[in-house]
Amino acid sequence: MRALRHPAAEAGFKSDMDALMAADVCILVWPSGVSAAMEFGYAVGAGKKTFVVGMPREADLMVKMADHYCQSFEELEFMLEDLNDTFIECQYGTLGD
């Protein structure tokens, strides 16, 4: 655990957390590791829009926390385009008005 106190580790953690806090959307790509799962859990708890993409290695009920589940990057792209259209409508009124 001493390595986690190294200045490079501290700087990397701060950079990752700053980006996570500034994000509007968090995407977890399966398969993933422990750090990715912790970041995703933070994003869910912080009320970020969340997506999971890919196939799990094993059954995972906690994926139900995600706003959306996608089996492919093509499906994710479609959902993100739809999210962007919704965001534009919320920010600027209905498109075409």
Side-chain angles (χ1 to χ4, degrees):
M1 297 307 272
R2 196 171 91 189
L4 293 176
R5 293 189 298 270
H6 189 277
E10 294 286 350
F13 175 77
K14 182 181 181 329
S15 175
D16 286 356
M17 285 304 299
D18 288 348
L20 187 55
M21 287 187 273
D24 295 318
V25 174
C26 184
I27 301 167
L28 178 68
V29 178
W30 273 339
S32 60
V34 174
S35 289
M38 292 179 77
E39 291 172 1
F40 192 78
Y42 175 91
V44 168
K48 311 284 185 181
K49 186 62 101 176
T50 55
F51 296 83
V52 174
V53 62
M55 297 300 292
R57 290 179 269 206
E58 58 191 39
D60 190 342
L61 296 176
M62 297 312 287
V63 73
K64 293 174 67 67
M65 288 191 297
D67 294 310
H68 302 283
Y69 170 72
C70 311
Q71 291 186 359
S72 68
F73 286 104
E74 292 78 18
E75 186 179 353
L76 173 66
E77 183 178 17
F78 176 78
M79 292 182 132
L80 290 173
E81 287 173 359
D82 187 51
L83 178 65
N84 187 52
D85 290 346
T86 301
F87 173 76
I88 291 171
E89 288 178 17
C90 290
Q91 288 284 92
Y92 305 107
T94 304
L95 296 176
D97 283 351

